[in-house]
C-alpha cells in the first residue's frame, strides 16, 4: 500500500510542477487558479510523502518520489509544453526510470 501512496505522491509532484508551468503562461485570474492548484498539489504530495516515510526508508522514498516527479514532469514538458525530444534526453529518462524500478526491487 505504501508504494501505491508513494506513486500517487509522485503524480501530485508532477501536477504541482505542471501548475507552475501553466501559471507562467497565463495572466490575471487564471494565473491565481494555477497557483492554487500548485499549492493543493504540493500539500497532497508532501502529506503522502510524510505518511510513506513512516514505513519505507526515507532515502528510498525520496529518491522514488523525485524520480516519478522528474520522469512525469519531463513527459508533461514534452507533451504539453512542446519541449524538445532528442536521443540523450530519452536515454537519461530511461536510465532514471530503470533506477526507480531498481530501488523498488531492492527495497524491503
Amino acid at each position: 500500500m505504501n508504494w501505491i501512496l508513494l506513486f500517487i505522491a509522485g503524480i501530485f509532484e508532477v501536477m504541482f510542477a505542471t501548475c507552475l508551468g501553466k501559471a507562467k503562461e497565463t495572466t490575471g485570474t487564471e494565473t491565481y487558479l494555477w497557483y492554487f492548484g500548485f499549492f493543493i498539489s504540493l500539500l497532497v504530495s508532501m502529506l503522502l510523502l510524510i505518511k510513506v516515510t513512516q514505513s519505507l526508508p526515507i532515502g528510498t522514498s525520496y529518491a522514488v518520489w523525485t524520480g516519478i516527479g522528474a520522469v512525469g514532469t519531463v513527459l508533461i514538458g514534452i507533451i504539453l509544453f512542446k519541449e524538445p525530444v532528442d536521443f540523450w534526453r530519452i536515454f537519461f529518462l530511461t536510465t532514471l526510470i530503470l533506477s526507480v524500478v531498481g530501488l523498488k526491487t531492492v527495497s524491503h
Side-chain angles (χ1 to χ4, degrees):
M1 182 65 175
N2 286 312
W3 286 100
I4 293 169
L5 292 178
L6 185 57
F7 180 77
I8 294 168
I11 297 300
F12 274 95
E13 184 185 6
V14 174
M15 288 172 57
F16 76 68
T18 303
C19 287
L20 279 178
K22 293 300 279 183
K24 188 173 72 171
E25 294 179 345
T26 60
T27 58
T29 305
E30 188 177 357
T31 301
Y32 294 114
L33 292 173
W34 284 113
Y35 282 131
F36 179 73
F38 163 78
F39 285 116
I40 296 300
S41 299
L42 178 65
L43 179 66
V44 172
S45 185
M46 290 296 160
L47 289 174
L48 288 172
L49 183 61
I50 289 167
K51 176 160 180 48
V52 166
T53 58
Q54 294 171 352
S55 299
L56 296 175
I58 184 71
T60 301
S61 300
Y62 185 74
V64 170
W65 177 74
T66 57
I68 292 167
V71 169
T73 302
V74 168
L75 293 175
I76 290 295
I78 291 169
I79 295 165
L80 193 62
F81 297 109
K82 309 296 185 228
E83 292 178 358
V85 181
D86 59 33
F87 170 79
W88 289 112
R89 208 158 187 220
I90 299 303
F91 173 79
F92 288 116
L93 191 62
T94 303
T95 61
L96 184 55
I97 293 167
L98 292 173
S99 296
V100 169
V101 170
L103 281 172
K104 161 86 171 85
T105 304
V106 300
S107 296
H108 303 291

